[in-house]
Amino acid sequence: LLAGVHIVAAAEAMALAEKAGLDTGLMLNILGNSEAGSWMLNNRGPRMLQAEPEVTSAVDIFVKDLSLVLDAGRAEKVALPLSAAAHQMFLAAAGAGHGLADDSQVIRSYRSLNGTKL
């Protein structure tokens, strides 16, 4: 849950920076060394800036993992709105043919929604 939501949150921040025309490498450096920084941001963020990064964990894995999280939430009657939103972004990436791409490439869903490119 935390890893999937975090990757999607990082992708959303990067997508906003791209759309605003900011230097995403500089932004990633600043965020990664601030209170917003984390292992996940510092690990996945640089790969979001690569066209075809090495696959260390695929988009499809988070489609599966977040599906399991949502199933557990339903079974326990626990609302998981952030997990559901993150799941939808990974599903969008997988549905667009990026299921075997590195999980950092969930950013492609944002690029598609916002009409931006790397």
Side-chain angles (χ1 to χ4, degrees):
L1 184 161
L2 292 172
V5 169
H6 197 119
I7 293 169
V8 169
E12 190 165 292
M14 296 300 287
L16 175 60
E18 288 176 355
K19 189 70 173 186
L22 301 177
D23 180 332
T24 52
L26 177 60
M27 188 196 89
L28 184 59
N29 185 38
I30 291 167
L31 290 177
N33 290 297
S34 74
E35 288 77 12
S38 68
W39 185 90
M40 193 61 80
L41 175 68
N42 290 325
N43 183 269
R44 298 312 201 274
R47 295 201 311 258
M48 289 179 190
L49 302 180
Q50 298 173 11
E52 294 296 332
E54 177 184 351
V55 178
T56 61
S57 175
V59 165
D60 281 343
I61 291 171
F62 274 100
V63 171
K64 173 192 63 77
D65 288 353
L66 287 171
S67 291
L68 295 171
V69 167
L70 293 170
D71 289 345
R74 274 190 291 281
E76 298 300 324
K77 295 184 176 38
V78 174
L80 302 171
L82 295 177
S83 297
H87 185 247
Q88 288 298 305
M89 296 308 291
F90 280 108
L91 270 176
H98 309 298
L100 298 178
D102 186 71
D103 58 23
S104 65
Q105 297 308 295
V106 71
I107 195 169
R108 293 175 183 175
S109 296
Y110 285 97
R111 290 179 179 139
S112 179
L113 285 170
N114 296 311
T116 58
K117 295 182 181 189
L118 179 62

